[in-house]
């Protein structure tokens, strides 16, 4: 055995052994070399001395031995360094792959929410990551009061708002962060195909959830009916134990307008033919639940799996169907049809339009803008523009905030909001009734802690956190704020902070008289439609939960009709949680700077990313027409 870097010419005549210091291999002379030396030194052997190697002095021998030791040490160090580099590369690759997988799994856009089954999927992902952190996460002590943790920042916010009255507002507060290089115009109403007869059968849809989930189900059903050359029956809405609303399609949307507007795309009828009404759909295999239709199924799935059933039985009934059609890959005209349905064909009934117009007029100082957006929302209740002479008579601005902090949301999130043991017991009791799958999950699985869920951005913002975000963005104390949403969990105590910092708060209940709101009482979907109108028509819109279907549809509607002038504030809850976690020591200027930077990034509106919802991101060629702006030289 020989090392290429060893300079010794007699290394092959020695045997290596381990150095006592463990630093490498040290060469020692063999017995043969010792005996040869002895023979050559004998005075009686002159003949042999001619063939023996020249005698070396003791100093030369020690020098060569030192060189051999140094060479061996260098070789050992090289191999050790190579080993360390190899192991470092392997560890880096391992952690990089883990980071990539978790980042893919935790993409909020890829995890639709609001059903028990969706939560199981989301929690499974969180659990995988949770186990990696189980040595660093601890259970939350019950004596920790979240409200106390936020009190310091609220005091700083009050002081900052008092000083802000004497300063101008940030330039980008009421507009999108960056001016786009191209303007986008609504054009989903353009068609390039012929009408079809719907001869392959009938499609029934029973949509679940609230008004916003139902809206998505309607648009998807229209697209599937066109894809399969089927006739669509006006969708039905399932009764939900959370929403408790018996409203049907004709109670919310203009039925005749819907049918006529889409007549060149899909044949739509109000009822199933008599000969098919008595058919046992479950017995013949025509009743399909969400468990039988995968989430975001591709169009090819419906052609291969659903069309044969449709042709065989003449009818297919989908139960649920909220999120059962993918956004990519979808044929261009089919994608455009979904946009046409959402932004053009679904018009609220006049009762909702008229009351919605009252909300908008009263928030705008008894005036309306009469823009394309408001005409699409309010129909003929959007008054024509009024010539205004005095500046003070211009429509006043208002900010709409969707506080998605109802009791169902708080219970569903499985987060903690500072209410102690009483809060936990109350939310658990609610889950047992309305979300039994979550209760069973807690009993059978070690679920992530509330701190972990919050750090991952899985918890809704509380009203206290939302108002701090608004104050940091620079909205003045005098700003008109419309609060959308149902009954806020925690009642007046939860709303105390936002009312203290922004006293000009309004809701549909405070803007409308008892007689004006009476027709909508006990109809949560119709009340949600009023909130939808007020949020869409606002000068700026802020959401507290980017996963909310209402917030998503409002943002998309504003993008489609807003001509780039209607900003939507969408916080990254994960990054915002990291900012709030420092609130015990963070100063207001730093908090303000970090929040503004965070929101500035999310306000940037670009073209629709691949596989993202066209209802939320309509800036794509299927829904809108892109017009390049001329740049001056």
């Amino acid at each position: 055995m020989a090392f290429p870097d060893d300079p010794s010419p007699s290394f092959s005549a020695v045997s290596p052994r381990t150095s006592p210091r463990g630093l490498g291999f040290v060469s020692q002379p063999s017995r043969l070399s010792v005996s040869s030396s002895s023979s050559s030194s004998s005075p009686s052997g002159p003949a042999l001395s001619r063939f023996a190697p020249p005698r070396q002095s003791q100093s030369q021998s020690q020098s060569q031995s030192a060189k051999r030791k140094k060479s061996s040490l260098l070789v050992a160090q090289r191999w050790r360094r190579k080993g360390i580099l190899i192991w470092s590369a392997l560890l880096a690759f391992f952690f990089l792959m883990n980071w990539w997988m978790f980042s893919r799994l935790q993409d909020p856009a890829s995890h639709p929410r609001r059903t028990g089954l969706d939560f199981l999927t989301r929690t499974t992902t969180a659990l995988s990551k949770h186990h990696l952190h189980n040595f660093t996460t601890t259970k939350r002590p019950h004596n920790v009061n979240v409200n106390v943790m936020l009190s310091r920042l609220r005091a700083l916010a009050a002081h900052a708002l008092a000083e802000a009255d004497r300063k101008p507002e940030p330039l980008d507060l009421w507009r999108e962060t960056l001016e786009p290089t191209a303007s986008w115009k609504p054009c989903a109403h353009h068609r390039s195909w012929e009408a079809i007869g719907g001869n392959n059968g009938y499609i029934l849809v029973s949509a679940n959830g609230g008004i916003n989930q139902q809206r998505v189900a309607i648009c998807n059903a229209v697209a599937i009916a066109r894809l399969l050359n089927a006739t669509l029956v006006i969708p039905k809405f399932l009764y939900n134990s959370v929403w408790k609303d018996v409203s049907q399609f004709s109670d919310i949307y203009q039925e005749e307008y819907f049918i006529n507007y889409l007549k060149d795309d899909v044949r739509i009828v109000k009822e199933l033919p008599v000969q098919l009404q008595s058919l046992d759909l479950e017995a013949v295999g025509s009743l399909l639940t969400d468990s039988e239709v995968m989430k975001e199924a591709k169009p090819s799935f419906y052609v291969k799996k659903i069309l044969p059933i449709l042709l065989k039985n003449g009818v297919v009934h989908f139960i649920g169907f909220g999120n059962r059609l993918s956004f990519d890959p979808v044929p261009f005209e089919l994608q455009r049809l979904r946009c046409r349905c959402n932004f053009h064909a679904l018009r609220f009934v006049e009762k909702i339009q008229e009351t919605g117009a009252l909300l908008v007029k009263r928030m705008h100082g008894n005036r309306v803008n009469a823009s394309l957006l408001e005409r699409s929302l309010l129909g003929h209740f959007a008054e024509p523009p009024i010539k205004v002479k005095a500046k003070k008579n211009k429509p006043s601005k208002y900010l709409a905030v969707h506080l998605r902090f109802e009791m169902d949301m708080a219970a569903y999130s499985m987060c903690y909001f500072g209410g102690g043991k009483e809060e936990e017991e109350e939310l658990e009791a609610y889950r047992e009734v309305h979300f039994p799958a979550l209760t069973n999950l807690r009993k059978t699985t070690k679920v992530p802690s509330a701190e972990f869920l919050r750090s991952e951005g899985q918890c809704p913002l509380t009203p206290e956190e939302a108002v701090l975000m608004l104050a940091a963005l620079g909205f003045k104390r005098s700003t008109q704020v419309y609060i959308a949403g149902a009954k806020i969990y925690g009642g007046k105590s939860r709303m105390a902070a936002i009312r203290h910092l922004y006293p000009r708060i309004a809701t549909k209940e405070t803007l409308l008289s008892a007689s004006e709101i009476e027709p909508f009482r006990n109809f949560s979907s119709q009340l949600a439609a009023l909130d939808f109108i007020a949020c869409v028509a606002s000068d700026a819109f802020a959401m507290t939960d980017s996963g909310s279907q209402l917030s998503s549809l409002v943002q998309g509607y504003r993008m489609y009709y807003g001509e780039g002038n209607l900003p939507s504030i969408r916080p990254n809850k994960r990054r915002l949680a990291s900012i709030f976690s420092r609130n015990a020591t963070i100063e207001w200027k730093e908090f303000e700077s970090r929040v503004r930077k965070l929101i500035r990034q999310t306000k940037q509106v670009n073209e629709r990313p691949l596989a993202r919802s066209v209802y939320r991101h309509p800036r794509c060629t299927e829904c809108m027409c892109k017009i390049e702006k001329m740049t001056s030289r």
Side-chain angles (χ1 to χ4, degrees):
M1 175 179 182
F3 292 93
D5 295 332
D6 192 338
S8 174
S10 60
F11 191 84
S12 59
V14 299
S15 60
R17 72 183 179 90
T18 307
S19 167
R21 296 184 181 181
L23 296 177
F25 295 108
V26 180
S27 301
Q28 298 293 340
S30 68
R31 293 177 185 177
L32 181 59
S33 64
V34 172
S35 60
S36 298
S37 300
S38 301
S39 300
S40 63
S41 62
S42 174
S44 59
L48 293 174
S49 64
R50 289 182 303 168
F51 303 97
R55 183 176 300 179
Q56 300 175 343
S57 65
Q58 184 176 2
S59 61
Q60 290 176 333
S61 176
Q62 290 176 349
S63 175
Q64 288 186 355
S65 177
K67 289 180 179 179
R68 286 193 296 269
K69 289 181 180 180
K70 184 176 180 180
S71 175
S72 300
L73 288 173
L74 290 173
V75 171
Q77 289 175 355
R78 289 192 190 98
W79 282 100
R80 186 179 295 109
R81 284 196 294 268
K82 289 181 180 178
I84 292 173
L85 289 174
I86 292 172
W87 277 108
S88 300
L90 288 173
L91 287 172
F93 177 77
F94 173 80
F95 284 113
L96 182 63
M97 290 300 296
N98 273 274
W99 169 84
W100 179 80
M101 288 188 292
F102 285 130
S103 67
R104 294 286 295 171
L105 289 171
Q106 292 293 336
D107 181 9
S110 64
H111 294 287
R113 300 170 58 184
R114 304 294 177 267
T115 66
L117 185 60
D118 292 338
F119 181 85
L120 292 175
T121 303
R122 180 168 62 93
T123 305
T124 301
T125 300
L127 276 172
S128 301
K129 205 169 183 182
H130 174 68
H131 289 310
L132 295 178
H133 295 77
N134 57 4
F135 294 103
T136 58
T137 57
T138 56
K139 291 185 177 180
R140 172 195 50 76
H142 286 288
N143 59 356
V144 174
N145 194 325
V146 176
N147 297 325
V148 173
M149 293 172 64
L150 296 173
S151 61
R152 178 175 174 272
L153 271 181
R154 290 202 298 270
L156 294 175
H159 180 72
L161 287 176
E163 290 187 341
D165 285 339
R166 300 187 297 271
K167 302 176 182 178
E169 292 179 328
L171 295 177
D172 62 348
L173 192 60
W174 297 93
R175 66 186 185 192
E176 292 179 3
T177 304
L178 296 178
E179 183 179 357
T181 58
S183 61
W184 293 82
K185 302 296 182 183
C187 62
H189 54 287
H190 295 162
R191 294 178 176 87
S192 60
W193 58 19
E194 300 295 330
I196 59 174
N199 303 322
N200 288 339
Y202 292 84
I203 289 180
L204 297 172
V205 172
S206 294
N208 58 10
I211 183 176
N212 306 293
Q213 291 85 351
Q214 292 165 355
R215 190 182 184 103
V216 171
I218 293 168
C219 297
N220 288 343
V222 167
I224 295 302
R226 172 73 196 204
L227 175 69
L228 303 182
N229 189 17
T231 296
L232 177 66
V233 180
I234 288 288
K236 302 292 183 182
F237 298 156
L238 296 174
Y239 180 82
N240 187 283
S241 62
V242 174
W243 297 100
K244 298 180 179 179
D245 191 346
V246 296
S247 298
Q248 289 300 318
F249 189 98
S250 60
D251 298 314
I252 300 173
Y253 303 108
Q254 297 178 29
E255 201 171 68
E256 294 295 337
Y257 182 88
F258 177 74
I259 294 173
N260 292 329
Y261 193 89
L262 296 174
K263 65 181 180 180
D264 293 329
D265 301 302
V266 180
R267 181 170 176 255
I268 304 175
V269 296
K270 295 182 180 181
E271 292 181 349
L272 198 64
V274 177
Q275 65 270 23
L276 294 176
Q277 291 180 6
S278 59
L279 186 65
D280 189 340
L281 299 182
E282 186 175 7
V284 299
S286 286
L287 187 65
L288 301 174
T289 64
D290 278 355
S291 62
E292 297 168 284
V293 181
M294 68 187 74
K295 287 183 180 179
E296 298 190 358
K298 296 179 180 179
S300 58
F301 168 83
Y302 291 94
V303 174
K304 294 177 181 178
K305 302 295 184 180
I306 306 303
L307 183 58
I309 301 174
L310 186 66
L311 294 173
K312 178 183 177 182
N313 300 326
V315 60
V316 169
H317 187 183
F318 294 105
I319 303 292
F321 206 66
N323 187 33
R324 291 302 185 266
L325 179 60
S326 66
F327 290 103
D328 287 302
V330 173
F332 181 91
E333 285 297 336
L334 202 65
Q335 194 82 286
R336 174 163 285 189
L337 176 58
R338 298 164 91 177
C339 295
R340 184 154 56 246
C341 178
N342 182 53
F343 299 114
H344 294 276
L346 289 175
R347 294 287 178 91
F348 293 120
V349 294
E350 290 195 352
K351 178 181 71 172
I352 294 176
Q353 286 183 335
E354 182 179 16
T355 308
L358 291 178
L359 293 176
V360 175
K361 286 172 61 178
R362 289 168 185 174
M363 289 302 298
H364 275 151
N366 287 322
R367 293 189 179 276
V368 293
N369 290 326
S371 61
L372 179 62
L373 178 141
E374 292 193 1
R375 289 198 298 271
S376 69
L377 275 177
L378 308 174
H380 65 270
F381 294 102
E383 299 175 1
I386 301 174
K387 294 182 179 180
V388 181
K389 295 182 180 180
K391 185 177 180 180
K392 63 180 180 180
N393 290 329
K394 289 184 177 180
S396 54
K397 292 181 178 179
Y398 74 94
L399 165 70
V401 181
H402 182 215
L403 286 181
R404 184 68 172 99
F405 199 71
E406 295 86 3
M407 189 171 188
D408 68 304
M409 180 65 180
Y412 181 85
S413 68
M414 298 183 74
C415 296
Y416 174 70
F417 305 102
K421 191 68 175 178
E422 181 181 354
E423 174 192 294
E424 293 185 348
E425 292 176 350
E426 183 180 27
L427 294 180
E428 182 58 33
Y430 188 90
R431 276 191 290 268
E432 290 180 358
V433 176
H434 299 285
F435 305 118
L438 303 189
T439 301
N440 294 334
L441 182 71
R442 289 171 65 90
K443 293 178 180 178
T444 59
T445 308
K446 183 181 178 181
V447 300
S449 66
E451 291 89 342
F452 177 79
L453 292 175
R454 184 171 295 278
S455 67
E456 290 297 301
Q458 300 289 354
C459 298
L461 293 184
T462 64
E464 296 92 337
E465 293 169 330
V467 73
L468 289 173
M469 177 185 72
L470 299 178
L473 290 177
F475 287 103
K476 292 190 174 183
R477 180 177 170 81
S478 59
T479 302
Q480 289 190 103
V481 181
Y482 179 89
I483 300 295
K487 185 178 180 181
I488 300 300
Y489 176 62
K492 293 182 178 180
S493 60
R494 277 289 182 197
M495 294 296 294
I498 194 168
R499 290 186 181 279
H500 173 69
L501 295 180
Y502 291 97
R504 298 185 67 188
I505 281 183
T507 65
K508 53 185 174 295
E509 289 80 9
T510 60
L511 289 171
L512 300 175
S513 66
S515 61
E516 289 169 339
I517 201 171
E518 182 60 32
F520 305 98
R521 293 193 187 277
N522 302 320
F523 298 103
S524 59
S525 293
Q526 297 180 45
L527 290 171
L530 297 177
D531 277 336
F532 180 87
I533 291 174
C535 288
V536 168
S538 64
D539 299 276
F541 170 68
M543 63 188 79
T544 58
D545 179 23
S546 57
S548 164
Q549 196 72 266
L550 173 66
S551 295
S552 298
L553 294 177
V554 166
Q555 175 183 312
Y557 213 94
R558 290 166 62 82
M559 195 180 298
Y560 187 78
Y561 284 110
E563 300 178 314
N565 299 319
L566 299 178
S568 294
I569 299 167
R570 181 175 58 87
N572 182 317
K573 292 188 296 179
R574 184 176 183 178
R575 292 178 58 186
L576 199 58
S578 68
I579 300 176
F580 280 123
S581 66
R582 298 183 56 193
N583 61 16
T585 57
I586 194 171
E587 293 299 327
W588 181 256
K589 286 295 182 183
E590 181 185 356
F591 177 79
E592 181 182 77
S593 175
R594 294 184 64 184
V595 170
R596 289 187 182 184
K597 180 180 179 181
L598 167 66
I599 300 301
R600 190 180 300 114
Q601 294 171 348
T602 61
K603 281 173 68 178
Q604 296 178 9
V605 181
N606 302 308
E607 294 187 32
R608 180 180 74 94
L610 183 68
R612 299 296 291 274
S613 168
V614 293
Y615 311 126
R616 180 173 194 159
H617 302 278
R619 277 187 178 171
C620 57
T621 53
E622 296 92 336
C623 297
M624 304 183 73
C625 295
K626 184 177 182 180
I627 303 173
E628 297 292 341
K629 290 186 176 180
M630 299 297 294
T631 56
S632 58
R633 295 184 180 181

